[in-house]
Amino acid sequence: MSVQLDQVARLPDAAVLPHAQGQQQAMLLLLLALAAIVLLYHATFWSMLELWSRSQTFAHGFLIVPISCWLAWRQRARLAALAPQPSRPGLLLLGALGLAWLLADAANVPVVEQYAATAMLPACVLAILGWPAVRLLGFPLAYLFLAVPFGEVFLDPLIDFTAAFTVTALQWTGVPVFRDGNNFSLPTGNWSVVEACSGLRYLIAALALGALYAHVHCHSTGRRLAVMAAALLVPILANGVRAYLIVMLGHLSNMRLAVGVDHLIYGWLFFGLVMLLLFWLAARWREVPLARAVPSAARPGASLQAVVRASLACLLLAALWPALALGSQRDDGAAAPASPAVLALPDPPAWQRLHDAAPAWQAPYAGSPARFAATYAPQTGSGAPVGLQLHWYARQARDAELLTHQSLPYGPRWMALAQRVQDIPLAGGALAVRESVLGHGGERLLVWRIYRQGGIVTARPVLVKLLLAQAKLLGRRQDGADILVFAAYDELAPPPRARLQAFLQAALPVIEQRLQELPHGP
């Protein structure tokens, strides 16, 4: 009887040892695959690190990766109990993400590159260890996405909300104020809501901290969502209060306080107080952690050979896309067709060029495209002149293409008041244009913009990027043009859309013919 009991006691040790060894080998293969992705896409990850280092808005990225590693390390005991279950959907997802990265790399869209490369890490976990491991490491893997520098698209809405909140609060407290876009004037001085006042850095930092707090200290879905909602809404409202208090402090002190470096100091102190209040409230929702048993494998794990095959497939899939990108970059490095620095363009029918007229506006551009700029007036009749600007690229590269991020997309003088895409009826059919209304004091500027990428005219930036990626990967023509027509008018007058429509009707055939004559290569 004692011999039988001794044999039974020894059975678990004999059974656990192969599973533990297999799990350790699977984890080692996973770590090697993750390291390979980081090395293969090092340029993309390095671009993220550079943004963290030079932008205070995204400096939190330095903390996201170690926090994610710490959160994953906390699950090591439960992860060790899971048998590896390689997943084919993980390989398909990895391939789709690689294709997305390749298209973004060809089209020069860094944020899509960074998201695709970051998403390859969870895809590897899915492909090698399977769904149980992904469910267990779901939050640490998802938390990595907060390291991607993203959020500048929310700058304009946040700036507009802060300006509107501040002006409304000033009016409610009896302070006379005049608002012009994001600028407003008080009897004691002038104020402007700029990028640093938008509250974006507060919002991103609060979201990162709120997500971490909700995951660690809350366990029910409802409470986690409540903490996350508070982390989103409270910083936006608090930033409006902060801006109002700073303006009031400057107003009451006759512009002696809160107008220099102390402006930023007061802002960060106020943000610190708001975050303390937010976490004090969140602490009241804190839940006692539930004891979680170490899970057992729901079904037997895959063999070591299957895990090795999945790991090799991940390596091959991950290495494919940088190799294809390297090939397209070699083609892109070929000599571009010679192009003039300044374009010559005949006058459109029924319009004459005003050689002595100063342009009402100069649109920023990237790189060194061939350029044309002129001001026109109708040969008969009167009215405000119409400006035309054309930037043509024979080839496009990073920071030298049609769509390149500009810190001041309309220059230092003008501010965008409204933007939309609308169809303009022309003789050849409707043409979609990007319409922008720019303002400076009582002056207004109506701007229509279209792009011509690879011979296709469009007003959609996404289509421009897709056409550029297609051209680079397939070795087709990459030439692109940025075409802008604009007219100035008074804020009390109606926008001169009819005048721009008449000019565009006459000028587009001339522009198209001239662009066709320019040299363009594959």
Side-chain angles (χ1 to χ4, degrees):
M1 186 69 175
S2 61
V3 173
Q4 292 178 349
L5 290 175
D6 183 67
Q7 290 176 345
V8 172
R10 292 180 181 180
L11 281 177
D13 292 336
V16 169
L17 185 58
H19 169 72
Q21 289 180 341
Q23 181 66 14
Q24 290 176 358
Q25 293 169 342
M27 288 299 301
L28 179 60
L29 290 172
L30 173 63
L31 292 176
L32 290 175
L34 296 179
I37 287 179
V38 173
L39 290 176
L40 288 168
Y41 299 89
H42 67 277
T44 299
F45 290 112
W46 183 258
S47 67
M48 294 168 56
L49 190 144
E50 286 183 327
L51 280 173
W52 301 345
S53 62
R54 69 170 183 259
S55 173
Q56 295 182 1
T57 302
F58 304 116
H60 67 281
F62 285 107
L63 300 176
I64 296 298
V65 175
I67 289 175
S68 297
C69 293
W70 170 70
L71 292 173
W73 178 254
R74 295 175 71 220
Q75 302 292 342
R76 63 190 182 279
R78 305 184 72 212
L79 187 63
L82 295 177
Q85 300 173 9
S87 171
R88 289 184 179 178
L91 294 175
L92 295 176
L93 177 60
L94 186 62
L97 291 170
L99 178 59
W101 178 90
L102 179 65
L103 293 175
D105 178 74
N108 301 329
V109 188
V111 66
V112 178
E113 289 182 58
Q114 293 161 1
Y115 270 117
T118 303
M120 288 182 184
L121 303 177
C124 265
V125 177
L126 174 60
I128 296 175
L129 296 186
W131 286 108
V134 171
R135 285 191 289 267
L136 184 61
L137 301 176
F139 184 83
L141 294 174
Y143 201 66
L144 285 173
F145 289 99
L146 290 177
V148 178
F150 176 74
E152 291 185 347
V153 67
F154 303 114
L155 272 176
D156 289 339
L158 289 173
I159 289 175
D160 185 69
F161 172 83
T162 303
F165 185 98
T166 305
V167 169
T168 302
L170 289 170
Q171 292 172 341
W172 284 356
T173 50
V175 178
V177 58
F178 172 76
R179 180 186 178 186
D180 179 21
N182 299 327
N183 305 304
F184 45 92
S185 301
L186 280 68
T188 53
N190 300 320
W191 298 83
S192 179
V193 180
V194 296
E195 178 179 337
C197 306
S198 65
L200 178 62
R201 66 184 63 173
Y202 302 152
L203 177 60
I204 294 178
L207 179 61
L209 291 173
L212 179 61
Y213 187 94
H215 174 73
V216 173
H217 296 294
C218 300
H219 307 285
S220 63
T221 303
R223 294 197 181 187
R224 286 180 172 177
L225 292 177
V227 172
M228 292 292 294
L232 284 173
L233 297 178
V234 170
I236 296 176
L237 296 175
N239 186 63
V241 175
R242 178 196 65 84
Y244 164 72
L245 292 177
I246 287 177
V247 172
M248 282 297 294
L249 188 59
H251 173 67
L252 296 176
S253 66
N254 199 23
M255 302 300 286
R256 290 192 300 270
L257 298 176
V259 293
V261 178
D262 53 348
H263 178 111
L264 299 177
I265 295 175
Y266 296 157
W268 278 109
L269 288 176
F270 181 78
F271 174 71
L273 293 174
V274 170
M275 292 307 298
L276 287 176
L277 176 62
L278 177 62
F279 286 114
W280 178 78
L281 292 174
R284 303 177 66 88
W285 296 340
R286 182 175 179 176
E287 296 174 304
V288 177
L290 300 176
R292 296 183 179 182
V294 175
S296 57
R299 58 186 176 90
S303 64
L304 180 60
Q305 290 78 6
V307 177
V308 172
R309 287 195 299 268
S311 302
L312 290 176
C314 287
L315 292 176
L316 292 176
L317 275 175
L320 172 64
W321 312 107
L324 294 175
L326 183 61
S328 66
Q329 289 171 3
R330 288 175 179 171
D331 295 338
D332 192 48
S339 60
V342 178
L343 292 175
L345 195 68
D347 291 348
W351 291 80
Q352 59 182 352
R353 183 172 179 178
L354 305 178
H355 293 276
D356 298 331
W361 172 60
Q362 173 60 57
Y365 57 88
S368 302
R371 303 182 302 277
F372 177 83
T375 303
Y376 293 91
Q379 294 178 354
T380 59
S382 60
V386 174
L388 168 65
Q389 291 185 26
L390 173 65
H391 308 125
W392 181 78
Y393 298 81
R395 285 186 181 272
Q396 300 183 58
R398 256 179 230 280
D399 301 323
E401 58 179 347
L402 285 184
L403 300 172
T404 301
H405 174 72
Q406 302 276 355
S407 57
L408 297 173
Y410 302 103
R413 182 170 183 263
W414 296 95
M415 179 179 299
L417 302 180
Q419 292 179 320
R420 63 174 179 169
V421 175
Q422 68 170 2
D423 294 328
I424 305 300
L426 300 177
L431 175 69
V433 301
R434 293 183 64 82
E435 179 181 280
S436 300
V437 177
L438 311 183
H440 176 73
E443 301 176 76
R444 295 293 182 267
L445 194 70
L446 181 66
V447 181
W448 284 357
R449 188 175 211 152
I450 55 175
Y451 308 102
R452 186 181 183 274
Q453 176 62 50
I456 298 177
V457 177
T458 180
R460 309 287 180 178
V462 173
L463 181 58
V464 172
K465 288 294 188 181
L466 290 176
L467 290 171
L468 178 59
Q470 180 190 54
K472 287 190 174 184
L473 295 176
L474 300 181
R476 297 177 181 174
R477 52 187 291 189
Q478 300 179 22
D479 62 296
D482 186 14
I483 305 169
L484 303 103
V485 295
F486 51 91
Y489 65 102
D490 186 78
E491 65 174 337
L492 300 179
R497 292 188 176 90
R499 180 169 291 269
L500 291 188
Q501 180 181 356
F503 177 77
L504 206 56
Q505 174 71 54
L508 268 184
V510 177
I511 296 172
E512 180 67 25
Q513 181 179 355
R514 181 69 183 98
L515 293 179
Q516 287 287 355
E517 296 170 355
L518 293 173
H520 53 79

